[in-house]
Amino acid sequence: MNLSIIIPLLNEEDSLEELFSRIDQVCRFANLSYEVWFVDDGSIDLSWSIIENLKVQHPQIHGIKFSRNYGKSQALHAAFERAQGEVIITMDADLQDFPEEIPELYKMVKEEDYDIVSGWKKKRFDNVMTKNLPSKLFNAAARKVSGVYLHDFNCGLKAYKKQVVKSIDVYGDMHRYIPVLAANAGFRKITEKEVQHQARPYGTSKFGTERFVRGFLDLITLWFVSRFGGRPMHFFGAVGTLMFIIGFLSAFWLGLSKLIDVSRGIYGHLLTNNAWFFIALTMMILGTLLFIAGFLGEMIIRSNRTHKNYNIEEVI
């Protein structure tokens, strides 16, 4: 199978039939064998009923229904596990992405051997203050921290080699950082393609401005995990040891100065009257705790992360 097209959705009943019709037309014209995975992330409208009806008419359609809304990352994770195509395409269900981009994305992965081709919505039709400007700031920070130089991390339209999506674990709100997760896993041939974008024809956006706050927090998490996730002792152990040594040397100096005072016949200077005593004690305690945290982290990562933080109600 040439393509697996994965479409997470939440309350998109108005766009699903048109979206699939355009995907089918494009793939048939390009002579590409394909499957479509619709992932219903807890819709409360008729989205799942429409997917079921489409499935009856088109066997290349598959659907995953979550018991409630879990988020885009979990939807992608569930579909990545089941996708069989040589190239995996992800796109949004709101018709702001153009299915007509699919053949060129497929060609870039298959013929030019890219691991990931990320869409770049250079000309956006979103609100400037609530989406465009925050998105530019977010993408600039993401490029600086991650070292992956893409203009638009948030674009849902992306193409992947099959082995990329089978090698990474998408969780939390990490869907926007899949290129970074892939780069950390050794897939370094990443590029971007300028894609068309249009205003949403139906419904309303499911993402508010708070996604940028969560995005920055996720970016910090990803930076830390990418460097110390496999060896937490390298961070916690090093920082804890340094703090303990500083605290111990400070306490040693305080004790030595007390002995010097006693040898000179100077009495009455209590160590507890010196602020450095409490600083040294605190640093030794914190250093010990950080070292223990590093040790526990080493033990935890030795058990595989097998629990899926979502519940699938139905698969068709």
Side-chain angles (χ1 to χ4, degrees), residues 290-304:
L290 285 171
F291 189 89
I292 293 172
F295 177 75
L296 292 175
E298 291 282 343
M299 300 297 292
I300 291 170
I301 64 172
R302 277 157 175 72
S303 59
N304 290 328

Side-chain angles (χ1 to χ4, degrees), residues 30-142:
N31 196 29
L32 295 172
S33 58
Y34 74 98
E35 63 178 359
V36 176
W37 282 95
F38 287 108
V39 187
D40 185 350
D41 187 22
S43 295
I44 57 174
D45 63 0
L46 297 176
S47 294
W48 184 248
S49 297
I50 292 172
I51 294 169
E52 288 179 317
N53 292 334
L54 287 171
K55 170 67 176 176
V56 173
Q57 305 170 51
H58 306 280
Q60 63 268 48
I61 287 180
H62 304 282
I64 301 172
K65 179 178 175 59
F66 283 174
S67 59
R68 65 172 179 83
N69 177 243
Y70 287 97
K72 190 173 183 178
S73 293
Q74 286 67 32
L76 291 175
H77 184 277
F80 283 165
E81 286 191 330
R82 294 165 173 79
Q84 297 300 316
E86 295 176 308
V87 175
I88 313 297
I89 303 279
T90 62
M91 63 188 308
D92 295 333
D94 55 12
L95 292 176
Q96 288 190 282
D97 296 331
F98 280 66
E100 290 74 20
E101 304 280 359
I102 289 174
E104 184 61 28
L105 292 170
Y106 174 80
K107 181 180 177 181
M108 292 178 72
V109 174
K110 288 296 293 182
E111 297 183 12
E112 300 178 42
D113 199 35
Y114 284 107
D115 296 318
I116 299 177
V117 181
S118 180
W120 173 20
K121 296 175 288 189
K122 189 173 183 178
K123 185 177 181 181
R124 296 179 59 120
F125 292 88
D126 291 319
N127 185 282
V128 174
M129 295 305 297
T130 60
K131 283 200 171 183
N132 289 6
L133 183 59
S135 182
K136 288 182 182 295
L137 295 173
F138 168 79
N139 284 308

Side-chain angles (χ1 to χ4, degrees), residues 11-42:
N11 299 330
E12 299 288 358
E13 61 182 2
D14 295 321
S15 62
L16 294 179
E17 292 182 351
E18 180 182 343
L19 175 60
F20 174 74
S21 177
R22 290 170 62 181
I23 289 173
D24 184 61
Q25 183 178 359
V26 166
C27 291
R28 287 180 184 275
F29 184 79
N31 196 29
L32 295 172
S33 58
Y34 74 98
E35 63 178 359
V36 176
W37 282 95
F38 287 108
V39 187
D40 185 350
D41 187 22

Side-chain angles (χ1 to χ4, degrees), residues 231-247:
R231 286 291 184 184
M233 182 60 82
H234 288 185
F235 176 80
F236 290 106
V239 175
T241 301
L242 179 62
M243 291 185 69
F244 184 87
I245 290 174
I246 293 174

Side-chain angles (χ1 to χ4, degrees), residues 171-174 176-177 211 213-223:
Y171 59 93
D173 282 327
M174 291 295 181
R176 56 179 63 86
Y177 298 122
R211 68 174 176 159
V213 176
R214 296 198 304 268
F216 280 117
L217 296 176
D218 288 335
L219 183 61
I220 295 171
T221 300
L222 189 59
W223 172 84

